[in-house]
Amino acid sequence: MSALFDTIPMFFQLLPELMSGLFSVVGAASAVTALTPSPKDDHWVARIYKILQFIALNIGHAGGKPRR
């Protein structure tokens, strides 16, 4: 039980760094999906693009329609 009480303050000390890293990944994925035209022909690139859109939180109407 003592280990749990030692872990909680350590988690809150690392929380700003964890959040900063998470927001950096979301921002980078957002930039890539915004600057990359939607791939229609290449099946694998389309899958990667969908994953990037999910990581960038481009879900629902935020993702927009694919460009042609």
Side-chain angles (χ1 to χ4, degrees):
M1 193 74 166
S2 174
L4 176 65
F5 291 121
D6 293 338
T7 306
I8 292 173
M10 184 174 53
F11 171 75
F12 283 109
Q13 287 176 345
L14 292 175
L15 188 62
E17 293 177 23
L18 294 172
M19 295 302 290
S20 176
L22 176 68
F23 291 141
S24 296
V25 168
V26 169
S30 246
V32 168
T33 57
L35 297 174
T36 307
S38 176
K40 192 157 187 147
D41 298 333
D42 195 355
H43 181 70
W44 289 105
V45 175
R47 284 186 178 191
I48 293 171
Y49 188 78
K50 281 188 176 188
I51 292 169
L52 281 175
Q53 279 196 329
F54 181 76
I55 292 172
L57 303 176
N58 293 341
I59 300 170
H61 293 290
K65 293 185 180 179
R67 296 180 212 154
R68 295 178 189 231

